[in-house]
């Protein structure tokens, strides 16, 4: 059972405080937390669960904002962490992005969302579709009406029908003229390549993102050509786990609109669709970096664009950059970005 939620800025100031039970948690717990962050550094701030002298603290960091949840009773740690992640995702979805100013400008909606998402310390309604029917997202029209009428509440007087449904993530009366569903596979590759261009380590973090525009209550299945390479899979609550466990098939009744169906990792890759060959030479205080980027003979899907980005060290005073293809720029924080928007055979960046 969670007793309180705090949102902290980068300087430790409390942006928002929400007491969830009759037992009030004092703000001094935030001062204790921030003192330990300053004294112990990022290692303390990266700990998801912390035991203070009086409370257990769950924490996540999103967009420079620290979400803290406190409890004095034993509870599953993943429940507290997952709830904070869901709160951050909902706020980002409602506000368009997540930052301190947006939370302060829309604190009424933030409190209304927290009131619906948790009841007496226990998670209650965390599905975006139901919350959008309960609480209207902020917009210019609603702000003007609140100024004119003096009513700042966005909470609907009608309980959404999905709250009594066996699939609470989906409204019951969805209708579309054209029934369509779009599935996007978004993958981010993390690779380490030594100075000789040899691949040291490579893995992929991927997400299956779906935009469902189907009427009624559809029941869908999705399969992969080689599901054995997928590890650390995480599913949306709509996915039935038993078909995946037995046959590696995704069977689900999708939410309406856009949502993340699953995430996964692919580990221990032996090759990448592109090759990177860096060369470093230095002489009398001058360093020359040459990076050769190209596509392998059989990359699979067509590569439409490549962006190369790396941080110059603080000791670099100036940089003179040229590229054989595309454009190259140095930002004010000494980050170098090379961008090529067309399919390329090979390109160099000295």
């Amino acid at each position: 059972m969670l007793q309180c939620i705090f949102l902290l800025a980068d300087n430790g100031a409390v942006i928002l405080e929400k007491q969830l039970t009759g037992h009030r948690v004092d703000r001094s717990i935030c001062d204790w937390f921030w003192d330990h962050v300053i004294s112990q550094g990022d290692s303390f701030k990266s700990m998801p669960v912390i035991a203070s002298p009086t409370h257990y603290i769950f924490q996540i960091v999103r967009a420079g904002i620290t979400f803290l949840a406190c409890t004095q009773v034993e509870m599953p740690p993943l429940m507290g962490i997952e709830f904070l992640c869901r709160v951050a995702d909902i706020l980002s979805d409602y506000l368009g992005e997540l930052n301190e100013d947006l939370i302060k400008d829309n604190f009424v909606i933030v409190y209304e969302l927290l009131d619906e998402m948790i009841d007496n310390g226990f998670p209650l309604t965390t599905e975006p579709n139901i919350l959008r029917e309960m609480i209207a997202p902020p917009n210019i029209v609603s702000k003007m009406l609140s100024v004119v009428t003096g009513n700042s509440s966005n909470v609907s007087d009608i309980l959404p029908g999905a709250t009594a449904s066996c699939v609470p993530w989906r409204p019951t009366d969805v209708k579309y003229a054209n029934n369509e569903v779009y599935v996007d596979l978004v993958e981010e590759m993390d690779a380490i390549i030594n100075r000789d261009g040899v691949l040291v380590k490579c893995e992929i973090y991927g997400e299956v993102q779906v935009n469902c525009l189907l009427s009624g209550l559809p029941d869908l299945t999705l399969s992969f050509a080689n599901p054995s390479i997928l590890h650390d899979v995480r599913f949306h609550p709509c996915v039935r786990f038993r078909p995946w466990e037995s046959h590696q098939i995704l069977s689900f009744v999708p939410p309406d609109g856009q949502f993340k169906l699953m995430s996964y990792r692919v580990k221990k890759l032996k090759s990448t669709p592109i090759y990177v060959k860096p060369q470093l030479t230095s002489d009398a205080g001058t360093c020359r970096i040459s990076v050769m980027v190209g596509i392998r003979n059989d990359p699979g899907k067509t590569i439409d664009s490549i962006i190369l980005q790396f941080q110059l060290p603080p000791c670099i005073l100036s940089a003179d950059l040229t590229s054989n293809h595309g454009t190259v720029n140095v930002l004010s924080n000494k980050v170098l970005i090379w961008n090529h928007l067309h399919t390329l055979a090979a390109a160099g960046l000295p």
Side-chain angles (χ1 to χ4, degrees):
M1 180 180 67
L2 299 176
Q3 296 175 329
C4 184
I5 291 179
F6 295 101
L7 271 62
L8 306 182
D10 279 336
N11 58 1
V14 178
I15 303 174
L16 182 142
E17 173 187 344
K18 177 64 175 176
Q19 301 290 336
L20 306 176
T21 63
H23 175 79
R24 183 176 180 83
V25 179
D26 193 83
R27 280 195 176 192
S28 59
I29 193 70
C30 298
D31 298 331
W32 179 90
F33 169 80
W34 207 254
D35 289 342
H36 280 69
V37 169
I38 295 174
S39 62
Q40 300 186 25
D42 293 338
S43 60
F44 185 84
K45 197 171 182 179
S46 62
M47 296 170 60
V49 183
I50 303 165
S52 76
T54 57
H55 293 81
Y56 295 105
I57 302 175
F58 307 99
Q59 66 151 329
I60 66 169
V61 180
R62 294 285 182 86
I65 298 176
T66 303
F67 292 74
L68 292 185
C70 304
T71 182
Q72 285 183 310
V73 299
E74 291 190 3
M75 58 175 288
L78 287 179
M79 187 182 78
I81 297 170
E82 178 63 24
F83 180 75
L84 289 180
C85 291
R86 188 61 65 93
V87 170
D89 292 339
I90 293 295
L91 293 183
S92 179
D93 181 50
Y94 260 74
L95 305 180
E97 57 180 315
L98 200 58
N99 59 55
E100 181 179 349
D101 293 333
L102 280 175
I103 292 176
K104 290 181 178 179
D105 292 341
N106 299 277
F107 72 93
V108 173
I109 290 181
V110 174
Y111 274 106
E112 290 172 346
L113 286 170
L114 291 176
D115 282 335
E116 299 296 340
M117 293 182 68
I118 194 164
D119 181 30
N120 196 34
F122 295 95
L124 181 63
T125 303
T126 59
E127 287 299 327
N129 284 324
I130 298 181
L131 289 172
R132 283 183 174 274
E133 292 188 47
M134 289 181 172
I135 303 170
N139 53 53
I140 296 178
V141 175
S142 63
K143 291 182 179 180
M144 291 179 61
L145 288 175
S146 65
V147 172
V148 174
T149 62
N151 180 18
S152 60
S153 177
N154 294 327
V155 181
S156 173
D157 296 330
I158 302 175
L159 188 66
T163 55
S165 171
C166 60
V167 284
W169 51 84
R170 182 177 180 84
T172 56
D173 56 350
V174 180
K175 293 182 180 179
Y176 288 99
N178 297 321
N179 289 311
E180 300 173 328
V181 59
Y182 301 93
V183 180
D184 292 322
L185 199 63
V186 181
E187 294 183 334
E188 178 179 337
M189 179 179 292
D190 188 5
I192 299 176
I193 300 173
N194 64 18
R195 62 184 303 165
D196 298 324
V198 179
L199 185 65
V200 177
K201 181 181 179 181
C202 183
E203 66 178 30
I204 289 177
Y205 172 79
E207 294 182 354
V208 179
Q209 299 179 358
V210 180
N211 186 10
C212 179
L213 306 174
L214 299 175
S215 303
L217 204 65
D219 199 325
L220 308 180
T221 57
L222 178 67
S223 60
F224 296 90
N226 186 13
S228 61
I229 64 173
L230 305 181
H231 303 278
D232 302 334
V233 292
R234 295 180 59 192
F235 300 111
H236 187 277
C238 69
V239 176
R240 303 181 181 98
F241 185 67
R242 185 165 295 178
W244 173 263
E245 189 178 29
S246 57
H247 304 292
Q248 282 71 54
I249 294 177
L250 294 178
S251 174
F252 57 98
V253 176
D256 182 45
Q258 297 181 355
F259 68 100
K260 182 172 71 174
L261 180 64
M262 69 173 292
S263 63
Y264 58 89
R265 290 185 184 274
V266 180
K267 301 179 180 180
K268 298 180 180 179
L269 293 177
K270 298 182 179 179
S271 64
T272 60
I274 63 173
Y275 63 84
V276 180
K277 296 181 179 180
Q279 293 181 350
L280 286 83
T281 58
S282 61
D283 181 29
T286 301
C287 180
R288 178 178 175 83
I289 302 175
S290 179
V291 182
M292 183 71 68
V293 182
I295 296 178
R296 299 188 183 277
N297 294 331
D298 185 18
K301 298 291 184 180
T302 302
I303 298 177
D304 297 322
S305 66
I306 294 178
I307 297 176
L308 179 65
Q309 174 178 324
F310 59 87
Q311 176 74 52
L312 297 176
C315 60
I316 300 296
L317 300 179
S318 63
D320 183 16
L321 305 172
T322 59
S323 61
N324 297 339
H325 300 274
T327 59
V328 59
N329 297 289
V330 178
L331 304 182
S332 57
N333 55 355
K334 295 185 179 181
V335 174
L336 185 149
I337 296 180
W338 174 75
N339 192 351
H340 197 283
L341 299 177
H342 303 287
T343 303
L344 71 165
L349 174 62

